[in-house]
Amino acid sequence: MNVSTLLVTLVALALFSYVFGKQRALSIAKHNRRRLHSIPSYYGYMTALWCGLPALLLLFLWLCFETVVIEQLLIASLPSDIQSLSSGQLSLVLNDLKLLATQDLMDSHTEPMKREAVQYLLSMQATSHSLRTILVLVLAFAGAAWGLSRVIGKTPARIWVEKVVLFFLILSSTVAILTTIGIILSLLFESHRFFGEIPPQDFLFGTKWSPQTALRSDQVGSSGSFGAIPLFLGTLLISSIAMLVAVPIGLMSAIYLSEYASPVFRSIAKPVLEILAGVPTVVYGFFAALTVAPFIRHWGETIGLDVASESALATGLVMGIMIIPFISSLSDDVISVVPQALRDGSYSLGVTQSETIRLVVIPAALPGIIGGILLAFSRAIGETMIVVMAAGLSANLTINPLETVTTVTVQIVTLLTGDQEFDSAKTLAAFALAIMLFISTLILNIIALYIVRQYREEYE
Amino acid sequence: MNNTEKIKKSLNKRYRKEKRFRLLSLLAVLTGFACLFILLVDMIIKALPAFIQTEVKLDIHFDQEKLELAAHFEPEELQNANFRGLIKQSLQQRFPTVRKRSDKRALMRLISVDAEYQLRDKLQAEPQLLGETVPIWLLVDDDVDTYLKSDKQFGRVSQKQIAWITELEQQERFQKRFNYWFFQTGDSREPELAGILGAVMGSFYTLLVTLLLSFPIGVMAAVYLEEFAPRNRWIDLIEVNINNLAAVPSIVFGLLGLAVFINFFGVPRSAPLVGGMVLALMTLPTIIIASRSAIKAVSPSMREAALGLGASKVQVAFHHVVPLAMPGILTGTIIGLAQALGETAPLLMIGMVAFIVDIPQGVTDAATVLPVQIYLWADSPERAFVAKTAAAILVLLLFLVAMNGLAVWLRKKFERMF
């Protein structure tokens, strides 16, 4: 049985157990309701959980460790000269064998050693599959039987079931923490390997980025240099252009919507602006690469400027458009928290509305606005698709917005989408870049959230 | 001049300033609108050509000899018959003056490489056509298609080809029809054959996995945090974590998927399964935050009434609070899924960028998704792929509008005041 049939069978068995458990409880309760601790359906749930949970757990563990165990057994069966190969070559041999096994590619030319190994692999896989089915089903039946035997009046079925439910609730709430731990551990582990090959100071302060490592040691001029300064500078340049576009437009929109607009206009304009945030970034990337960049290039030529076809300006402009709604809705939120009494006090002194906004409302809301801008900035740094599609690959150390620059996220994507073995410095560099990205956005977010929270507490 | 006069004099200036400021802020809102408008109009204009496909009418003689078939042949032999030869023959009859080898090849390039399979399917469906001569509409090559659509301003067709195209045009042998093909096929290297069905199905399976994982986990986490969790530092840590995860760059989730799911647990690459798992982790914060606020909005009197009638805390949560909060939870889930549908960067990291022609049949088949398909087509050099990309973008936006519309409708319909 394959996994999905097995799962369906398990669900069916659990349903049957529910019915049986409930029936049994009902038959106990027929003569005297007080003989049962819980409502009959809880006995059904209990039986179903006993039937399904242990079996599911076994299946899950089996699926996690099946491939590893079979691989180890296969290696142990291979001749000793193959076993003594380096881990990279060994994994090549294993992949070869697996391919032969899955695609049925063996013919008379296959070496007898390989033929034997493939036969062994196939037989182990078959054994594993049938053993898995049998054990899981046996466990399901045994669980159901045990559960049924526990359907007696004294068993506190409801309390037991609720404990299991609570356990799952707690488990779900820890997924967020597990994810964070997973991110940190995987990034740390891989970048540790990277920094084993490249010294951290070369990575952090080097000014030359060309991640080409030599395929053979005797190749010339391809030693690879991993100085990340051009990437950091490029990221900062593009994000700054984006903020220059987004902050004035977003802030002014928020002011208009919260201070001037009629309720009807506001109720239409706010969702329309938020559509800009809902457009997938790959769409902005396409827009930047095919519409805005050629337009800016053409415009630059007419006034005699030399604009690169993948200029930082075009990328930053489009990224700015994407960020407008973040700034406007975050600023809108904090501006509306400013107490009306401050405005009324200002008006009563004969101050006009725009002067009130500039001299009273904005200064009062400033911490919140700055928090919002920081959040938007961290969003700009981590943005990937726009820069992958519209910014260049060449790591120029420049702050001229008309030239091509590259960013941290672009390099992560290019380093990991090519065909590369997983233990070269080139691939591992992506993880080192990602950890820089993760740390900087994390710090920005924590500062921003802290500022916004402090600000809210001040007025609420 | 006393103070009153001074103030009166300055008033005009201040009112002008007021008007300017107001106009400026209105202008900012309108700039936002304009950006959205330009973006949408640009996509629609770019996409229009992709919905129309040019066909050419050729008189095809189903010649048994030319097909390299014996007098009595098995139906399977049709698969390998020389249908390309039929097209060659027909084109040569139409343009008898073409003699040079390179010219003949250029002539053949007017027709799509798929035309021979069109002929094969036609003959398999109607075997009585063998030996007959019939006019048949065949797909043209994407270069010819682009040339005809772009008001003949396209450089990839040669002068000779232009002459032939003009001649065919004068004989009214071209027709434009709706490109239903685009919605029925998977990816292809040939723009005229490429469709989005494969990507749509890939997106469907990926979102299915995302939904099945993130919805139960998200709702259970929200129920625990709102209804059961004690106020202590561990719970604070979980809350800070959820808020931070919502702001982690999406590409980092892709790296997590690559390092943990693929390299550590050995989940197959490029499959909707691993894509859905990564997107589920990204969607979780959205679902948890939305579910929590929906659960918070359920009036405490509901809980107290149920507790007063002897319900246990778990019964209160699952019999009363969650059903009442369900519209809000579903709205949050749909919005989270809509975000996941538009997400590209993490999927690039886990190998969903492969070129895949087949339409995926399950969650473990290699697949690509709509936004990644857009990225791949945007990278393709052929001009005809620009229109395809824009058309795929329109399809993606349509799905997003539908999902968000559903979320708004749910909220409106089930909105309840406590």
Side-chain angles (χ1 to χ4, degrees):
Chain A
M1 254 192 260
N2 60 21
V3 179
S4 42
T5 343
L6 201 54
L7 276 177
V8 173
T9 322
L10 273 184
V11 171
L13 282 178
L15 280 177
F16 275 121
S17 321
Y18 171 80
V19 175
F20 280 123
K22 191 175 173 182
Q23 281 304 324
R24 197 174 156 127
L26 278 173
S27 69
I28 295 175
K30 198 154 46 176
H31 307 295
N32 183 1
R33 270 212 82 99
R34 292 196 171 276
R35 284 175 61 190
L36 276 184
H37 171 278
S38 314
I39 306 171
S41 57
Y42 276 98
Y43 290 94
Y45 291 133
M46 185 182 74
T47 327
L49 284 175
W50 269 115
C51 167
L53 278 187
L56 270 180
L57 190 66
L58 177 72
L59 181 61
F60 178 72
L61 291 177
W62 199 285
L63 288 177
C64 281
F65 295 107
E66 186 181 32
T67 38
V68 184
V69 173
I70 287 184
E71 207 161 83
Q72 288 306 320
L73 285 174
L74 184 66
I75 291 172
S77 81
L78 291 174
S80 55
D81 58 318
I82 295 185
Q83 281 187 38
S84 56
L85 288 173
S86 72
S87 65
Q89 282 171 311
L90 193 61
S91 74
L92 274 182
V93 174
L94 287 177
N95 275 336
D96 193 25
L97 290 176
K98 278 181 205 157
L99 202 70
L100 283 173
T102 47
Q103 313 217 322
D104 206 15
L105 286 174
M106 277 197 296
D107 50 36
S108 51
H109 301 295
T110 320
E111 300 160 46
M113 186 278 292
K114 273 192 183 172
R115 182 184 292 268
E116 220 166 85
V118 169
Q119 296 290 359
Y120 184 57
L121 178 63
L122 283 174
S123 77
M124 272 197 301
Q125 278 171 350
T127 323
S128 162
H129 284 182
S130 42
L131 208 60
R132 181 179 75 196
T133 310
I134 293 168
L135 283 182
V136 165
L137 288 183
V138 164
L139 199 57
F141 277 111
W146 168 250
L148 271 179
S149 77
R150 302 257 300 147
V151 182
I152 44 176
K154 277 183 197 149
T155 314
R158 178 178 63 77
I159 290 173
W160 190 85
V161 169
E162 287 186 351
K163 268 187 188 154
V164 175
V165 169
L166 206 57
F167 171 75
F168 276 103
L169 293 186
I170 294 174
L171 200 67
S172 312
S173 72
T174 56
V175 169
I177 290 200
L178 289 180
T179 311
T180 310
I181 294 175
I183 288 176
I184 293 174
L185 281 187
S186 57
L187 291 186
L188 274 183
F189 180 68
E190 305 290 354
S191 29
H192 178 73
R193 285 168 65 193
F194 172 73
F195 289 126
E197 295 181 34
I198 312 286
Q201 64 270 21
D202 286 8
F203 174 73
L204 285 177
F205 304 114
T207 53
K208 188 165 180 297
W209 176 268
S210 75
Q212 297 303 326
T213 40
L215 292 172
R216 298 187 312 273
S217 50
D218 56 336
Q219 265 181 332
V220 196
S222 49
S223 55
S225 57
F226 292 90
I229 289 287
L231 310 190
F232 298 150
L233 202 65
T235 310
L236 273 182
L237 177 64
I238 289 181
S239 321
S240 308
I241 296 171
M243 298 316 282
L244 281 182
V245 175
V247 171
I249 297 181
L251 191 54
M252 289 306 267
S253 309
I255 288 172
Y256 187 82
L257 291 181
S258 60
E259 300 286 322
Y260 289 115
S262 67
V264 179
F265 183 78
R266 185 184 152 89
S267 68
I268 298 169
K270 224 172 132 70
V272 170
L273 273 187
E274 265 155 31
I275 293 177
L276 279 176
V279 172
T281 53
V282 68
V283 177
Y284 283 113
F286 180 70
F287 182 61
L290 270 104
T291 308
V292 179
F295 176 75
I296 286 182
R297 194 181 150 83
H298 178 74
W299 167 82
E301 272 168 4
T302 49
I303 60 167
L305 280 173
D306 188 25
V307 185
S309 61
E310 293 174 322
S311 62
L313 184 61
T315 318
L317 268 179
V318 174
M319 196 189 274
I321 295 176
M322 183 195 83
I323 292 179
I324 290 173
F326 287 98
I327 305 249
S328 78
S329 67
L330 286 169
S331 312
D332 193 20
D333 286 350
V334 291
I335 288 175
S336 53
V337 176
V338 173
Q340 185 62 29
L342 287 184
R343 293 188 188 88
D344 293 344
S346 172
Y347 296 148
S348 67
L349 292 173
V351 180
T352 65
Q353 202 174 356
S354 66
E355 285 163 345
T356 307
I357 293 167
R358 271 185 295 131
L359 301 174
V360 177
V361 178
I362 296 297
L366 199 60
I369 292 173
I370 290 176
I373 290 175
L374 286 182
L375 274 183
F377 193 64
S378 98
R379 171 75 58 147
I381 290 177
E383 171 46 43
T384 310
M385 287 324 289
I386 297 179
V387 282
V388 166
M389 294 170 82
L393 287 175
S394 49
N396 295 327
L397 192 63
T398 176
I399 51 164
N400 180 357
L402 303 180
E403 275 185 50
T404 305
V405 293
T406 189
T407 72
V408 173
T409 45
V410 172
Q411 290 302 322
I412 296 177
V413 170
T414 33
L415 290 177
L416 282 180
T417 43
D419 291 325
Q420 265 283 326
E421 48 197 313
F422 207 71
D423 40 9
S424 76
K426 186 178 164 185
T427 319
L428 293 174
F431 287 89
L433 288 174
I435 206 160
M436 302 307 296
L437 185 67
F438 182 72
I439 292 173
S440 45
T441 51
L442 192 69
I443 291 174
L444 277 175
N445 286 330
I446 289 175
I447 296 176
L449 288 177
Y450 177 76
I451 294 177
V452 171
R453 190 181 290 177
Q454 288 285 314
Y455 162 79
R456 283 183 173 265
E457 277 165 7
E458 203 172 304
Y459 289 118
E460 272 167 4
Chain B
M1 197 158 45
N2 61 22
N3 272 344
T4 323
E5 279 168 8
K6 266 191 202 162
I7 291 171
K8 270 191 178 155
K9 236 185 135 188
S10 75
L11 260 185
N12 279 332
K13 208 170 140 196
R14 284 170 65 196
Y15 284 151
R16 272 205 304 279
K17 246 185 169 171
E18 165 74 31
K19 262 189 188 155
R20 258 208 313 275
F21 187 80
R22 191 181 170 144
L23 201 71
L24 210 64
S25 60
L26 178 63
L27 215 64
V29 180
L30 295 182
T31 314
F33 285 3
C35 290
L36 183 65
F37 183 74
I38 293 171
L39 182 74
L40 290 181
V41 170
D42 184 48
M43 288 305 138
I44 292 173
I45 290 175
K46 282 209 168 82
L48 281 179
F51 294 114
I52 291 163
Q53 174 67 45
T54 315
E55 287 178 324
V56 62
K57 187 165 72 178
L58 288 183
D59 301 321
I60 300 289
H61 177 50
F62 284 100
D63 186 355
Q64 200 149 358
E65 209 170 299
K66 196 82 195 169
L67 279 168
E68 294 165 11
L69 288 169
H72 294 286
F73 61 90
E74 300 291 319
E76 298 89 65
E77 285 177 45
L78 264 185
Q79 295 287 344
N80 303 319
N82 184 12
F83 286 99
R84 203 174 158 76
L86 298 187
I87 301 170
K88 253 186 206 159
Q89 192 184 29
S90 164
L91 280 173
Q92 261 158 34
Q93 281 166 2
R94 176 113 347 254
F95 301 102
T97 51
V98 178
R99 286 269 172 254
K100 260 168 57 186
R101 214 167 215 292
S102 58
D103 286 350
K104 279 184 185 169
R105 271 208 295 275
L107 189 58
M108 266 311 269
R109 272 204 299 274
L110 295 180
I111 313 292
S112 165
V113 290
D114 189 63
E116 45 187 304
Y117 304 111
Q118 271 181 285
L119 287 183
R120 186 190 68 197
D121 295 346
K122 177 106 183 154
L123 190 60
Q124 273 175 339
E126 300 167 55
Q128 71 274 15
L129 287 180
L130 198 63
E132 307 272 321
T133 304
V134 272
I136 290 180
W137 290 103
L138 295 172
L139 284 180
V140 301
D141 188 69
D142 62 295
D143 286 341
V144 181
D145 195 35
T146 312
Y147 172 78
L148 286 170
K149 280 175 193 162
S150 61
D151 290 330
K152 327 227 151 124
Q153 301 288 319
F154 181 59
R156 271 192 58 170
V157 282
S158 65
Q159 286 304 319
K160 277 181 185 157
Q161 282 178 319
I162 290 176
W164 298 324
I165 293 171
T166 320
E167 196 180 328
L168 284 171
E169 219 176 6
Q170 279 157 3
Q171 296 165 354
E172 292 185 346
R173 283 187 170 266
F174 286 117
Q175 78 165 6
K176 288 181 177 166
R177 63 154 173 79
F178 180 68
N179 188 4
Y180 53 81
W181 194 282
F182 182 65
F183 300 98
Q184 292 176 343
T185 58
D187 198 6
S188 170
R189 294 273 186 233
E190 303 296 325
E192 74 271 16
L193 302 177
I196 53 159
L197 186 63
V200 169
M201 290 313 288
S203 274
F204 171 75
Y205 285 121
T206 309
L207 281 192
L208 190 71
V209 174
T210 306
L211 177 68
L212 289 181
L213 286 176
S214 63
F215 180 70
I217 296 179
V219 174
M220 287 200 295
V223 168
Y224 178 71
L225 291 175
E226 281 300 317
E227 299 285 307
F228 297 98
R231 293 283 117 205
N232 58 25
R233 302 187 70 169
W234 173 245
I235 301 305
D236 281 347
L237 184 68
I238 292 181
E239 286 182 359
V240 170
N241 244 299
I242 290 170
N243 285 332
N244 268 326
L245 275 187
V248 167
S250 60
I251 191 167
V252 173
F253 282 96
L255 289 171
L256 170 77
L258 177 65
V260 175
F261 294 147
I262 293 181
N263 286 345
F264 192 73
F265 284 114
V267 183
R269 271 176 86 89
S270 311
L273 182 63
V274 66
M277 283 158 82
V278 169
L279 291 180
L281 291 184
M282 290 188 56
T283 323
L284 258 186
T286 315
I287 296 185
I288 295 180
I289 291 168
S291 305
R292 285 187 71 176
S293 61
I295 290 173
K296 227 180 247 168
V298 174
S299 143
S301 62
M302 286 285 172
R303 297 184 183 87
E304 282 150 16
L307 285 172
L309 289 173
S312 70
K313 276 187 89 178
V314 173
Q315 285 170 333
V316 172
F318 284 95
H319 295 179
H320 302 282
V321 176
V322 171
L324 283 173
M326 205 34 106
I329 295 175
L330 285 181
T331 309
T333 308
I334 294 171
I335 288 173
L337 284 182
Q339 281 169 6
L341 176 62
E343 202 54 69
T344 325
L347 301 179
L348 299 185
M349 299 289 94
I350 51 171
M352 290 191 92
V353 276
F355 169 73
I356 289 145
V357 179
D358 296 328
I359 291 161
Q361 303 293 328
V363 293
T364 49
D365 289 356
T368 188
V369 295
L370 261 178
V372 177
Q373 186 71 76
I374 290 168
Y375 168 67
L376 286 173
W377 281 349
D379 248 13
S380 301
E382 284 93 345
R383 168 104 173 252
F385 269 128
V386 172
K388 295 274 172 181
T389 314
I393 285 176
L394 286 192
V395 172
L396 176 63
L397 290 180
L398 214 65
F399 275 117
L400 288 178
V401 167
M403 287 170 83
N404 283 303
L406 184 68
V408 171
W409 179 80
L410 264 177
R411 188 159 44 198
K412 284 257 156 62
K413 170 139 184 156
F414 293 103
E415 206 165 43
R416 257 187 260 195
M417 292 295 171
F418 293 108

